[in-house]
Amino acid sequence: MTKAAAIRGFAERRRQRPKEPLEVRVTVRFKFGNGADEVVTMMDDRSVPMVDSVFKNRDRIARQFLRLLVRAGAAQPKVARELLPLLRLLKRRGKKA
C-alpha cells in the first residue's frame, strides 16, 4: 500500500463516521460584587448540545450571552440603582423632542 492510498483510505473512513452532536455542560454566573448575595447564577450545569460549529453560530451565541448579562444585571438592586437615573434621563429627553 502506497502512502497516497493510505491517506485516501483514512480520509474515506473519516467521512463515513456519523457526526454526533457534542454535549457541553455550561454554568453561567455573574459577580456584581464581593458578597455572596451579589452573585447571580443564570445557568447551572445545563446541557447545551453543539450541533453546528461555534463559528457558524457566534452571532447568536453573543446575542444570547448579552441578553443573559442584561437580565442578571436588572435583577440586582445595586445595578438597578445605577441604571434607573439613566433611564429617567433618557425618558425626559424623549418627551422634549
Side-chain angles (χ1 to χ4, degrees):
M1 183 182 260
T2 65
K3 188 174 183 179
I7 291 173
R8 265 191 311 247
F10 175 74
E12 287 173 9
R13 283 193 307 270
R14 186 168 186 188
R15 270 187 249 130
Q16 292 173 357
R17 272 192 280 161
K19 290 188 176 182
E20 298 176 12
L22 178 67
E23 182 181 328
V24 179
R25 308 293 297 180
V26 178
T27 299
V28 178
R29 288 188 187 111
F30 294 107
K31 283 181 72 174
F32 292 101
N34 294 330
D37 59 335
E38 294 176 337
V39 176
V40 177
T41 302
M42 298 302 289
M43 283 193 268
D44 191 22
D45 200 31
R46 181 182 286 184
S47 172
V48 179
M50 296 298 292
V51 177
D52 240 344
S53 169
V54 172
F55 300 108
K56 288 182 182 178
N57 296 313
R58 68 179 179 264
D59 294 334
R60 198 174 101 208
I61 292 168
R63 271 194 310 271
Q64 292 300 325
F65 183 75
L66 184 62
R67 253 179 95 203
L68 275 177
L69 180 62
V70 169
R71 287 178 65 192
Q76 286 294 310
K78 186 180 191 179
V79 176
R81 267 187 253 125
E82 294 290 328
L83 292 178
L84 285 177
L86 178 65
L87 292 175
R88 286 186 201 134
L89 180 66
L90 290 173
K91 191 175 179 182
R92 286 184 203 150
R93 182 187 244 177
K95 287 182 180 180
K96 289 180 183 179

